[in-house]
Every structure is written in C-alpha cells, then in structure tokens.
Amino acid sequence: MNTLESYLRHHAATQPDAVAIILPVASPSAPEEAFSALTYSALWQRVEERASELHQQGVKARQVVCVRTEQNADFLVTYFALHTLGAVAMPLEHDLPDDRFSDIVRRYEAFTPPPQVADILFTTGTTGQPKGVMLSHDAIMADAENLIGAMGFEPPLVFIICGPLNHIGSLSKVWPVIRQGASLCILPGLKDLNLFFKAMDDESSKNLRNLCNPCDQVPSTSSKVQSSKFKVQSTSYATFLVPASVRMLLQLAPRQLAECADRLSFIESGAAALPHADMQKLCQLLPHTRLYNTYASTETGIICTYNYNDGRCLPQCLGRPMLHARVAINDEGHIVCSGRTLMTGYAEAAIELSEEAAKEPERIVTADLGFIDAEGMLHLTGRTGDVINVGGFKVAPTEVESAAMAHPDVADCVCTAVASPVTGQALRLLVVLREGCTLNRRALALFLSQRLERHKVPLLYQQVEHIERTFNGKINRKYYYRG
C-alpha cells in the first residue's frame, strides 16, 4: 500500500464501521445531536461513486483538476476520487473569485504533470506571487509517516481540523489520520469556539448521526448508511492550530481549554512562530498534553517537531528531524532540508519547460535562518528579508514580537523598520492593546529592555486596531514593507 487511497480501501474492508469523518450538523430540529458521522465503508463507497462520475465526465490520469475546498466530506470524497483515477488534485480557496478560478483552470488545462504528482498546492504568497507546488504520492506518504512517528495518530484518536483544506497545514493532517484509520472531525473554522469545545465533549459524541441527511447535501445510494448510527469510542483528541488561533483560545477561552486537559492528547502548531509567552501559557493550562512546534512548508513538507511541554519550553526550538527528513545549516546560516518529503517542483517551472517534468530537488535551501544545537535540535532565528539592520546589528523582528507578546496589555503586535539618520534603520513596534488598556510607551520600552539586548528594543511605539495577518496566522510583512 503506497497511496492514501490504498489505505482507505483497506480500512473500508477491515474496519468498515469505524468512523472516518465527523461533521457538525446545523439542524435546529435536533439541537442535542451536534455531530454526524461517516464510516470508512461509506466513505470508500462514495469515493468509488465519485470516481465513476468523474471518469464519465472525461477526467483522465495526470489531468489537473481544480476543486474549490469545502470544510466537509464532499471535498475529501472528490480529493480521494481524483487520486483513484490517477488525476492531480488542485485544491483552491472556497471564496476564490470566479474570474481568478477560471484563469487558473485555463492555465493548467493543457499541463501534464510528472506521473508521480498527486497534488498541486499553492503557497500563501506573503512575500511574492503564490506558486503551485507539486507534491508526489510518495511525499504525501512520507509526510504522513513523519507525523505518525513523531506524534502518534493511532486510532481511536479524533483529530479536529479547523483550518482550510487547500493548504498543507490542515490538509497534511488528513494524511496520517487516513493512513492509520483514525477519525477526522472537520470544523468550519474557529469562529464558533463553543463548537470547537463541543467537538471534544464525550456527551455530544455519543449519538453521532450519519451524513446522509438534508443538511449535509452529500448524496448516497446506500440504505445501510442512511439508517445506521455510530459511536466514537475514543476520548482522545488532537488538533492543529496556527498561532493566531492559539492566542484566540488563550484570550477568550482559557477555562474551557483547561477543562479539556485530560482529553487533549496533543496540539500541533505551525505556519508561523508561536510567541514564547503563549507557549508557556499552554503548558500551564495543559500540563499533560503534548504540545508540538513544527517546522514545515509546502515546498519542504513536514520536517521537524518539538514537544515544548517537556519542562524546558525552549523558545524558537523546532526539534529534531522526523523519520524521512534531514536538516542542515549552510555557510550563510540558512536551513537546508532534504529527504522524501520534498516537493517535486514548481508547476509554473514545469509549464515553462513545455510540460517536461521538473527536476526533483535533492535539497531545498530555505529563506529561514537557524542553527542546530548540541542535542541535534533545530532552532529558528529569523528569515532572510525580515531581518532588520540597526546600526550594524541584525535584529529578527520575531524575537522582539515574542517579547512584546508577554506584556499583559499587548494582544498582538508587529515589529517593523523605519528610516533613521543615525543608524540607517530603527525599530518600530505596532501594538494592538487588550480592551480597556492604553499605550504607555515608556513602560513598554522598560518591559522590553528587561528582556532584550539594547539594540533590539524599539525606538518607536504606535497603537493600531489590528495586525495584518494571512489566513494561517503569519504576519503579512509584505504589507508593512510596502508602507
């Protein structure tokens, strides 16, 4: 078995009644039944039906098929069905404008990717134009095995997905869950925190209904599936949260989060640096939960992870390389990744080569800066282009931001550069304050001077209403560089 779909078919045969997907049910007529469930046998049946439909529509092997992502079972059914046909899935944002969607379809309709490619995922494009990253079936399986080896994902785990499935942060969690035959709980986001916590409530999971009802809009011809009821037998849960989501939970629902301590097996964070103050708060609220800080990207795959709830809570630490990944630091201080998880290449480059297969990289030199300590653990120190030169001293804005986030009045912040006639560049800190707080520039500067070297303490402070971030919690530094 060397693809996700082969494992899905295997689970459908060997554990047909095991729950594969859980979804919230928006049904005012049955408020006590908040979730519905789809078994592995039912999921595989729908994948086969969808594959047959797509085949009849003319979808062929190695054809790129653009799909709008939805936080539901129907998207995953289509995703697996495309793989079953040997086609290439290109998940796109649900609310992508129609003209942009059509432009992408036209650009890729004549493109035949290399035969090993399973997916084309777009990067977020915070520092430039988004790029289509080609991922092979082998890279997907290597990523899944990396996560399994580092974190577990053994059934009867229920993994809660809150983020969009068109990016690797959330989509990559589908892979180990299906590989292991565990359960996915897919939520529409974190706007409804009560729904997030209810997903981890055993009482609300006892009477899961199937997905074949009017509120789901996923067709099925199986009478067995329509009349079955299932029970999730696990009280073990896990989730992936971007830093912005972690901060939201810490600010708005710390008590509810602490009440989940005995049920939360692990939380993984990624996509951007997690402020050290938030790491420490999570450790306090969830003393027995594994808390992972992961280094990954669309291009490199899942590389390293560190359980910072180890008694040390090391800031900016990303842990050791996982099973199928390797890391090194080059002479310029850049993190270099290698192993089975690397992308096949950029789709745009392959198109420009007149549909020739892009050369698979043996290693990827990232824009991230870091070092490897005596224990073999990777530490992130900054990113090329983000580093600010203050009178000859190199300052990583993330370090300043992490220190500022520890201040009790600061809800969010970003450190930027401004021109200085003395040092060339000076640091400016834009801060979002908690409700009811006022900006005391002198007090904040004193607070930072007790935690940072002198040249890292910002010269200027400004209160703002919000910080520009991408969907996955990264600060949109391009927005601030632009002015």
Side-chain angles (χ1 to χ4, degrees), residues 25-58:
V25 176
S27 175
S29 62
E32 75 284 355
E33 294 183 311
F35 295 91
S36 57
L38 188 68
T39 64
Y40 270 95
S41 62
L43 175 59
W44 179 244
Q45 178 180 333
R46 293 190 191 182
V47 169
E48 289 187 308
E49 292 172 354
R50 185 63 50 81
S52 177
E53 294 170 3
L54 293 171
H55 178 70
Q56 292 175 9
Q57 293 170 13

Side-chain angles (χ1 to χ4, degrees), residues 210-383:
N210 59 56
L211 293 177
C212 303
N213 55 58
C215 69
D216 181 63
Q217 301 178 357
V218 182
S220 174
T221 59
S222 171
S223 59
K224 178 182 177 182
V225 174
Q226 290 174 350
S227 62
S228 298
K229 285 191 176 183
F230 314 103
K231 178 180 178 180
V232 176
Q233 299 178 358
S234 171
T235 56
S236 178
Y237 300 86
T239 191
F240 172 82
L241 299 172
V242 297
S245 296
V246 171
R247 174 142 286 253
M248 182 189 304
L249 289 171
L250 291 176
Q251 289 182 351
L252 302 179
R255 179 183 58 80
Q256 295 96 314
L257 188 60
E259 290 173 352
C260 298
D262 293 334
R263 282 165 282 163
L264 263 172
S265 178
F266 66 88
I267 296 176
E268 183 195 11
S269 297
L274 193 63
H276 192 228
D278 290 353
M279 294 167 62
Q280 292 174 318
K281 290 177 183 176
L282 274 182
C283 291
Q284 294 169 2
L285 292 173
L286 304 169
H288 307 299
T289 300
R290 289 173 283 137
L291 302 172
Y292 292 105
N293 201 6
T294 297
Y295 182 67
S297 71
T298 313
E299 289 90 344
T300 64
I302 317 297
I303 300 296
C304 297
T305 198
Y306 166 58
N307 174 19
Y308 57 87
N309 204 0
D310 63 350
R312 297 184 292 177
C313 194
L314 302 174
Q316 303 295 324
C317 182
L318 299 163
R320 298 180 182 84
M322 300 185 204
L323 177 64
H324 299 300
R326 301 290 182 271
V327 292
I329 307 298
N330 68 11
D331 293 341
E332 289 75 38
H334 290 270
I335 298 172
V336 182
C337 301
S338 58
R340 284 176 52 194
T341 64
L342 301 190
M343 67 176 180
T344 298
Y346 289 113
E348 287 77 11
I351 291 173
E352 292 171 2
L353 291 171
S354 302
E355 301 183 4
E356 293 180 12
K359 183 179 179 181
E360 293 194 35
E362 295 181 359
R363 63 175 195 154
I364 291 178
V365 180
T366 72
D368 296 317
L369 304 172
F371 67 92
I372 298 173
D373 66 19
E375 298 180 46
M377 296 202 293
L378 177 67
H379 294 252
L380 189 67
T381 58
R383 185 173 176 85

Side-chain angles (χ1 to χ4, degrees), residues 391-425:
F393 291 99
K394 302 296 192 298
V395 179
T398 52
E399 184 180 359
V400 179
E401 292 154 3
S402 183
M405 292 290 273
H407 193 284
D409 292 350
V410 176
D412 204 357
C413 67
V414 59
C415 180
T416 67
V418 294
S420 168
V422 178
T423 59
Q425 287 183 312

Side-chain angles (χ1 to χ4, degrees), residues 49-80:
E49 292 172 354
R50 185 63 50 81
S52 177
E53 294 170 3
L54 293 171
H55 178 70
Q56 292 175 9
Q57 293 170 13
V59 174
K60 300 177 180 178
R62 298 177 67 185
Q63 178 180 340
V64 178
V65 180
C66 300
V67 184
R68 290 185 185 272
T69 53
E70 300 277 359
Q71 298 297 106
N72 59 23
D74 194 54
F75 165 71
L76 289 179
V77 166
T78 301
Y79 176 76
F80 294 132

Side-chain angles (χ1 to χ4, degrees), residues 46-266:
R46 293 190 191 182
V47 169
E48 289 187 308
E49 292 172 354
R50 185 63 50 81
S52 177
E53 294 170 3
L54 293 171
H55 178 70
Q56 292 175 9
Q57 293 170 13
V59 174
K60 300 177 180 178
R62 298 177 67 185
Q63 178 180 340
V64 178
V65 180
C66 300
V67 184
R68 290 185 185 272
T69 53
E70 300 277 359
Q71 298 297 106
N72 59 23
D74 194 54
F75 165 71
L76 289 179
V77 166
T78 301
Y79 176 76
F80 294 132
L82 289 171
H83 288 175
T84 301
L85 292 173
V88 177
M90 181 183 281
L92 298 173
E93 294 177 18
H94 166 67
D95 56 355
L96 192 70
D98 290 342
D99 56 349
R100 173 62 177 150
F101 186 90
S102 299
D103 288 343
I104 294 175
V105 171
R106 283 193 294 270
R107 178 164 176 75
Y108 286 91
E109 62 184 357
F111 172 52
T112 302
Q116 70 272 27
V117 173
D119 294 348
I120 298 178
L121 304 182
F122 279 94
T123 59
T124 55
T126 56
T127 57
Q129 290 298 318
K131 298 177 181 178
V133 178
M134 298 186 292
L135 302 181
S136 68
H137 285 283
D138 185 62
I140 287 174
M141 292 306 301
D143 281 327
E145 291 168 7
N146 275 0
L147 289 165
I148 292 164
M151 301 176 194
F153 287 85
E154 299 296 336
L157 178 77
V158 175
F159 194 94
I160 301 171
I161 289 180
C162 308
L165 289 166
N166 58 305
H167 289 282
I168 196 168
S170 292
L171 184 61
S172 64
K173 306 311 173 295
V174 172
W175 305 336
V177 169
I178 297 300
R179 166 69 170 76
Q180 295 301 87
S183 303
L184 288 168
C185 179
I186 304 175
L187 301 183
L190 269 184
K191 293 182 179 179
D192 187 346
L193 292 182
N194 289 329
L195 184 63
F196 173 75
F197 289 112
K198 195 165 188 178
M200 290 183 283
D201 180 67
D202 289 333
E203 291 302 316
S204 67
S205 299
K206 286 182 178 178
N207 294 307
L208 292 171
R209 293 187 291 123
N210 59 56
L211 293 177
C212 303
N213 55 58
C215 69
D216 181 63
Q217 301 178 357
V218 182
S220 174
T221 59
S222 171
S223 59
K224 178 182 177 182
V225 174
Q226 290 174 350
S227 62
S228 298
K229 285 191 176 183
F230 314 103
K231 178 180 178 180
V232 176
Q233 299 178 358
S234 171
T235 56
S236 178
Y237 300 86
T239 191
F240 172 82
L241 299 172
V242 297
S245 296
V246 171
R247 174 142 286 253
M248 182 189 304
L249 289 171
L250 291 176
Q251 289 182 351
L252 302 179
R255 179 183 58 80
Q256 295 96 314
L257 188 60
E259 290 173 352
C260 298
D262 293 334
R263 282 165 282 163
L264 263 172
S265 178
F266 66 88

